[in-house]
Amino acid sequence: MTEQTKRQLIKALAYGKTNDEIKECMEITDDDINSVTAEEIEAEKAYYREMGYLQ
């Protein structure tokens, strides 16, 4: 998985997309999704809240 793909994966998880939705459109595996830590997702959510994209 490239760094760009990982960033997009973290973004999708931060926006609350399901694993099935992500796998379908990004063509990645469960192992790829499971490689992302909760801390990475929370940091991304905090960033998007700060920018006004999430509430």
Side-chain angles (χ1 to χ4, degrees):
M1 175 169 52
T2 66
E3 186 62 31
Q4 182 178 3
T5 302
K6 185 170 181 172
R7 296 290 310 147
Q8 291 300 316
L9 171 57
I10 294 169
K11 181 178 182 179
L13 291 168
Y15 273 101
K17 298 297 180 188
T18 66
N19 289 7
D20 288 334
E21 289 174 319
I22 294 168
K23 286 189 300 185
E24 183 179 322
C25 70
M26 294 184 69
E27 300 179 6
I28 59 175
T29 66
D30 284 321
D31 289 337
D32 292 331
I33 294 171
N34 293 334
S35 72
V36 177
T37 66
E39 291 82 19
E40 290 172 310
I41 297 167
E42 286 304 314
E44 194 78 357
K45 282 182 183 179
Y47 171 75
Y48 288 123
R49 283 187 193 108
E50 183 179 310
M51 299 303 289
Y53 297 124
L54 288 176
Q55 296 181 22

